[in-house]
Every structure is written in structure tokens, then in C-alpha cells.
Amino acid sequence: MEPLSWTGALGTILDPILYIVGPAFLALLVLRALVAGVMAAPTMRTNPDGTLSAVSGGLPVLIPRLSNWVSLALGLLVVAYLLAGAIMGAYGAGIIGGISQQLVPVWLSLIALFIASFTFKRRLGLYGKLFDSTIGMVGFALVMFWVFTGIYAGLDMLITHDPLSQVSGMKNKGPGTPLRGAAPEDFQWYLLGGDNLARDVFSRVLSGSTIVIAIAPLATLFAFMVGITLGLPAGYYGGKLDTFLSFLANLILAFPVILLFYLLVTPEIVQTGLPQFMAVVLFFFPLIFFAVLIHSRYRTQPRKNALWLALVLTPLFLLYMSAINGEGTKVNIWPLDFFDIPPGILVVFVSVVFVNSPTVFRIVRGLAMDIKTRDYVAAAQTRGERPWYIMLWEILPNARGPLIVDFCLRIGYTTILLGTLGFFGLGLPPESPDWGSTINDGRKLLSIYLHPALPPAFALLTLVLGLNLLADGLREESLRD
Amino acid sequence: MLMTALCLTFIVFFLTNLYPNLEKLAKNQGNFRMSDEEVATFLENRGYLQPLPIKYGQWLGVLPGYSIVGTDGKLREKCRAGEDITEPQTAFCGVLQGDWGQSTVFKDTVSSIIATRLGLTGNLMLWVFLLMVPSALLVGILAGMREGSGLDRSLSTFSITTTATPEYVSGVILIAVFSSSAVGLKWFKGTATSAMEGANFENFFLPVLTIALYGMGYIARMTRASMAEVMTAQYIRTARLKGVSFKNIVVKHALRNALIAPFTVIMLQFPWLLNGVVIVETLFNYKGFGWVLVQAAGNNDIELLLGVSVVSVVVVLVTQLISDIGYVYLNPRIKVS
């Protein structure tokens, strides 16, 4: 069988257009920046009714307009590649087609999500407002692309080959190489080539997204629980408690992250059970958080209080015990163990939470110190509300804007940290398809073979970029209120 | 500050002195087929099994170094390691006395290793700062002087992209584009090993660029935000109404006030740069401070690791101090009373 080309038959029509539109787009982008920087803004003309309008013509007006049209054309071209590719598949449209066809469930989910969000835009609060800003939408699309990819790849839907299996004769083969000795029911190509152990790069990148999507948001959420539970009282009460907690936070922040990872994640330390004890402490914070949250609200209604506490805390407690308890490890005290977290994942998770929470603590503390001087807090104090009620039901909801933005940014940072861990081969098993490990594997032969290292690098780049853009869009829209 | 440094080194000391780590150390130094009892006597003879606070005190130099007659009848002392001695003697030899100990991986004194490696990394950092700070400030000021313009959008997108690209991603992409034979440009070298003797543009630019790019976006965004804020201030409007040219407003009126916030950010970039240094030195095989950190941590070289962490913690704390002091000097509204 022939190796696939990048665009196949589709390329004979679309490629020439791309060769014109692509360079034109880049040239106009540079030109636009230059024009905006060097030349003055378009001169204004006062109309008889007192309004201003730009004098039409001239480079400062023409070039942005032209650039907008060309970027629209480029966007349409990309959509055409993906759409035609999804229909024609690898036989007709080469590697792009093959990839696009594999990702059809992701495209459909993305389209459905965007249509639904646009329809109910006005009823969705801050989330709906996101769809007013282009940057926010682009970021959201990138993030959701990887979220859907991660979920579907985790359900075994998108990947073409087993990410761990090696096929002889496929070592370091370039993108689009036909699979040697493929059975008729197998997928016939390695779409993005094979790595130095003859595994499929495409499937590994997709499976890597599952690991990131599973760990990064959850770890960030835990870091937020820890940071909020400690940061609110530190900011609200101040005094000795604040001094002590801030000292601890600065202590962790002064540590070089990589040194901390090396100290926490080595197999010898795992043997001592230290990460597990840290998990015992860190995973307990969500329970405290929810218990205090509910109790402070329904303190005066004992029946409702007990009901809600039981409803929320029982499942959380069972999850907590299952998470920290492990057969044959240092923490083995609880009989009802539903699942075991693989020790590698647990260590990585714990260290990422540990590194992130001091920063969250500092942010929450700063916000709490700012908000506690507001009038509504004084009103609540005059009403005789308890301190925890004020912290969790008056201060926290009013701090949500900056916290949501930081949450997005911090997921991106956590993704980078996970990649760093993989890059140094810490924690996760060496054959794991996460992006950091794959980049580390691929970089060793980088001067000859580019295809094993670049796809995970671009995957990580687009996900983090998407999260940053999303945070930017959210910040813009939440400031607009 | 002193308290922080003491706590941090104690944590490192505690983590490196956990028994499985010591066992690994013993097997690395002795031989890999030692039984558990042999490991225990090996460690006992070399003072590793003393109580933790005592060991820490010895390392710090506030307690006298150990002097142990081993089970093999040989006398070993911390302060005269490796020497053949018969007479026990009490002596202090810790960090306070300037004795940083002996590296078990490099077979050299910790102070000399750190001195040479820190010099190499200092060279790298110098060039990173020379590249990063001016270009980040330029990008930030250009973007912030006309908020919302086309120039602002393109430069902001650029800085968001660089902050979203960690060093191990941008480094890989840069190596792939500029130095691999697959693309064929081959403008620069993919390793910086030769830059340790003589750094030139060809072998040193890529590592410098890789670190600078990641830090640059953040500084540029901070500068942009602070510049945009200054440009809406009353006194700028007054200057405009007086008819001062736009160039003069930016250069003479806005610039100094806009640079206060980025100064703090630049100073606080040091700890982050240390991360970047570790990654880039591993990626480009440049044997500096970050590379030593990886080697020491990977092989549980206790005293070297402690030396490395002391240095990095001191760097972090000193930059925090400088940033606080500098802030006071730059901002006339804050007075030290």
C-alpha cells in the first residue's frame, strides 16, 4: 500500500489556494501591526450632525479590512479541509482526512455545544457572555476540543491503535506510513508515524489528552479547596493565624518546583508512604470545606442541616477513604475500598496540588482582605452572622470573578507542571502516553525525526493557549458588568 | 528570611535522609548486592543513622561533627572524611564554617562544584535577561500605549502564546525548526555543550531564546496592563490637551510611571527562571546549575542537594528583598518610616 500524503486528492484543489492565502495572511498580519504602530490612526471628519467618521481610504483603513477578509478566507479553507477530510477519509484526503475522520465525534460534539450555547446565550450568565468575545470563543473551542478528545479517547473511540503496542517495522516511520502486516479490520496507517519504539504517535497523543483532562482540572480544584479553606480565615481574621499560614505558603513558594518534585516523586519516597500521608491531609480539605459551607448556612435549621450534611458528606467520605486507602500500602485501615489510585498517579496528583495551593491561598487571602471592608460584610456583622457564614456566603461569592479567571489560568499551569513531571520522567510509568513523557522520548532523536516529538508539543501548546485565551475572554467579559 | 532558609533546608534534609533514600545511597556507593544488615552497618559507620536533628546540627556546624569507631574498627570523622586517622578529635565543620561537604556523585567538594556550575548558569541568565527584559518592556509599552488597537491585539496574542508555551515545548519546536537536519535550516546548534567553553551566537542563542520567550510574555503583559492604566491617567490627558506630541507623552510622561509594576515582576521572575534553567539545561545538555540539581536529586547526593537548595533559596529570598527595596525607591508614594 502507498504511504499517505498530507492532503491526498483533496490537495490538488485546495493546496494551491492555501499556498496563496497562507503567505498573504501572514504578510498582511505583519503589515497590519506595522501600520498600526508607525502610522497615525485614520484621520477623523466631523459630520454636520456632530458625529465623527473615519475618512475612508488610505493604508490605515485599507489594510485591516483586507487582512480581515483574508483571515476569513483562511478560516473557511481550514474548515473546508476538515469537512471534506471528514467525509472523504484517509483514502481520499490523505493524513488530514484520516485525522479529521477519526475526530468526527469531537467535531459533532463541538458543533452541538456551540449551537446550544448560542441559542441560550442570554440565559447562561457569565458563560453565555463568553460568546460575545472572539478571543474567549477561540479559547473555549480549543479547550473543549481537547476535553472531548480526552473523554472520547478514554472511551476508546478515537484512537486507531493501542497506544502501548509496538508493531515491528514501524520504528521511526514517517507520518502516513501504511501499517506493516495489517489485518483487514485494523486501521491501515500510522497517521502521524511511529515513535522510536514503533508505537503509533497519533493514538499516543490522543491518549495523552485523557491523562491531562483527568488530572489537571481535578488537581486544580483540590488546590482551590485547600487555598480557599485556608485563605479565607487568614484574610478575614488576620493576626497570628495569618502570619503563620502566610509563612507556610511562602515557604513552599520559595522552593524551586523541580527540586520539590524530585524530592517527592522518587520511588524511594513513595516507598515511605509520604505522598500518601500528604494525600490524607490534602484530600481532607474538600470535606472540611463542604461541611463548613453547609453547616454555616443551615445552622439554625437543624433538620435541613443534618439532611444536607448527610447527603453531601457520606459520598464524599466514602470517596475520600477509597482514595487514600490502598491494599498493601502504608495507609490500609478502611475495609470499604471501592477503587485504588495507581501510586504513580497519586504521587503526581498530590505534588501538583501541593505546589499549586499556596498561590491560590495568597490570591484568596488578598481578596478576602479587600472584600471584608465592604459595606455588605459590615451589614452581615451587624446582623450578628457567624464569621464562617460571612466568609463562605458573603465574601466568597463576591470574589468569584477573579477566582474563575485564575482557575482557568491555573489549569493551564497545572498542565505545564504535569508536562514537566513527564519530561523529567518522574511519577508516571515510562511507557505512559502523557505529553511530557512523549516529548522527552521524542527529543532524543529530534535532529533526524521530528514527528514523534512535535505532535505532543503542539497538543500541549494548544491546550494551554486555549485556557489562557479563555481566561482572557472571561476576564474581559466579567469586567464589563 | 533566615527562618525560611532554615526551615527549607531542614525539609530537604529530612526528605533526603529518609531511610529508603539512604539505602539507595549506600548501595550506590558500596555495591548493589549488599544485604540489609550490610547496608545498616555501612550507614551506621558513616554517621548516617544518628538522630535527624543531630545530623542537621552537624551539617549546619552548630554541633561537632561525628566521630565514630565503626564495626570494622576504623575511626571515621565527618571533618576529616576520607583520611586515615586514629586519634579522635572534636571539630565543627558545617555550612557555617564554610565546609559544604563532599559530593558523592562527582567526588568533589560541594563548594567547588556549585561555584563552577553557578558561573556557567550565571552566564546563561545574563544573556537571558539582556534579551528578555528589553524586548518584553518594548512589547508591553507598544501594546499598552494604544489599548485596543490592532498593534495591541497582535502583540497581546503574541505574549499570550509565549506564556502558554513552556520551555520544553518551545525548546523542542525551536530545535526542530532551526537545527534539525529534517527541516534543513541548521542555523543554530541543537546542543549547548560547546557553549560551556566558548559561548557564541550559534551554540548559545537557542537556549537563551527558549528561556527568554517563556518569561517574556508575562513581563510584557504586566507592562502592557500598567502602561494602559497610566495612559488613562489625568495628567496624561492634561499633557494631551496642552498639545504635547504622542511620542513625547509616551517617552517623557508615561514611561517612568508605567515601569514600577514590571520591576517587581521582573525581580519575582528569578525563581521561575530557575525552573526554566533546569529544563533548558537538560534539553540542551548545558552542564550548569540546573543540570547539577537534576544529577544531585536523581542520585540522592545529600550534601550537594542541600548546597543546591541553599543557593536557590537564597537567590529567591534575596530577589524578593531587592524587589521590595526597589519598589520603595521607584515609587515616590511609598516612604520608609
Side-chain angles (χ1 to χ4, degrees), chain B residues 53-73:
Chain B
I54 293 178
K55 268 193 294 185
Y56 183 67
Q58 290 175 355
W59 173 78
L60 205 59
V62 291
L63 290 178
Y66 65 81
S67 156
I68 293 173
V69 182
T71 40
D72 51 357

Side-chain angles (χ1 to χ4, degrees), chain A residues 54 70 93 157 168 196 226 253-254 281 292 294 299 303 431 454 466:
Chain A
V70 172
M157 281 167 69
S168 71
N196 62 343
V226 177
L253 284 176
V281 177
V292 178
I294 295 167
R299 194 173 52 89
R303 283 193 56 194
E431 76 276 4
L454 284 187

Side-chain angles (χ1 to χ4, degrees), chain A residues 325-348:
Chain A
N325 202 34
E327 202 68 43
T329 56
K330 294 274 174 183
V331 182
N332 193 4
I333 39 172
W334 183 254
L336 263 178
D337 200 349
F338 298 116
F339 56 87
D340 275 331
I341 303 175
I345 303 264
L346 185 77
V347 181
V348 168

Side-chain angles (χ1 to χ4, degrees), chain A residues 101-369:
Chain A
Q101 200 169 43
Q102 281 300 309
L103 295 178
V104 162
V106 177
W107 303 134
L108 292 181
S109 320
L110 268 183
I111 292 169
L113 180 72
F114 266 75
I115 290 177
S117 310
F118 261 107
T119 326
F120 302 110
K121 192 158 114 175
R122 292 287 154 243
R123 278 189 254 162
L124 291 171
L126 184 62
Y127 169 73
K129 280 200 201 118
L130 189 64
F131 290 84
D132 289 335
S133 106
T134 323
I135 285 196
M137 270 199 300
V138 172
F140 187 65
L142 282 175
V143 173
M144 288 319 287
F145 170 79
W146 283 115
V147 170
F148 286 131
T149 309
I151 294 172
Y152 294 144
L155 298 173
D156 247 356
M157 281 167 69
L158 308 174
I159 51 176
T160 53
H161 300 91
D162 178 28
L164 298 184
S165 72
Q166 310 176 351
V167 177
S168 71
M170 296 305 287
K171 184 176 168 185
N172 289 328
K173 284 287 186 291
T177 311
L179 186 64
R180 181 184 287 186
E185 70 274 12
D186 284 341
F187 194 81
Q188 298 294 317
W189 299 275
Y190 268 11
L191 281 171
L192 291 176
D195 65 5
N196 62 343
L197 289 173
R199 298 166 297 193
D200 182 28
V201 173
F202 176 71
S203 305
R204 284 178 71 77
V205 171
L206 294 196
S207 320
S209 70
T210 311
I211 299 177
V212 171
I213 293 302
I215 298 182
L218 203 62
T220 316
L221 194 68
F222 272 73
F224 263 74
M225 294 282 180
V226 177
I228 289 173
T229 319
L230 296 177
L232 281 177
Y236 185 76
Y237 290 118
K240 284 222 177 74
L241 178 75
D242 182 27
T243 320
F244 175 67
L245 287 176
S246 295
F247 176 74
L248 281 188
N250 288 337
L251 200 65
I252 302 172
L253 284 176
F255 237 108
V257 177
I258 293 181
L259 181 60
L260 201 63
F261 280 160
Y262 259 109
L263 290 176
L264 284 180
V265 185
T266 49
E268 285 77 29
I269 299 274
V270 177
Q271 229 181 313
T272 61
L274 185 80
Q276 262 189 317
F277 295 125
M278 285 171 67
V280 170
V281 177
L282 290 176
F283 288 4
F284 197 63
F285 277 95
L287 277 114
I288 303 178
F289 177 77
F290 281 110
V292 178
L293 187 76
I294 295 167
H295 182 72
S296 63
R297 176 90 204 198
Y298 295 120
R299 194 173 52 89
T300 48
Q301 299 153 278
R303 283 193 56 194
K304 222 172 174 182
N305 192 5
L307 177 72
W308 275 109
L309 280 177
L311 264 181
V312 174
L313 288 189
T314 319
L316 273 183
F317 182 73
L318 288 176
L319 281 178
Y320 169 73
M321 289 314 287
S322 310
I324 58 162
N325 202 34
E327 202 68 43
T329 56
K330 294 274 174 183
V331 182
N332 193 4
I333 39 172
W334 183 254
L336 263 178
D337 200 349
F338 298 116
F339 56 87
D340 275 331
I341 303 175
I345 303 264
L346 185 77
V347 181
V348 168
F349 194 90
V350 167
S351 41
V352 169
V353 172
F354 187 67
V355 169
N356 265 323
S357 27
T359 330
V360 182
F361 165 83
R362 292 232 297 217
I363 295 169
V364 175
R365 173 178 165 270
L367 286 169
M369 282 166 81

Side-chain angles (χ1 to χ4, degrees), chain B residues 130-148:
Chain B
L130 284 182
L131 178 69
M132 179 174 78
V133 174
S135 44
L137 291 181
L138 190 69
V139 167
I141 288 165
L142 284 180
M145 66 185 188
R146 280 207 201 95
E147 208 186 352

Side-chain angles (χ1 to χ4, degrees), chain A residues 118 392 478:
Chain A
F118 261 107
L392 287 169
S478 66

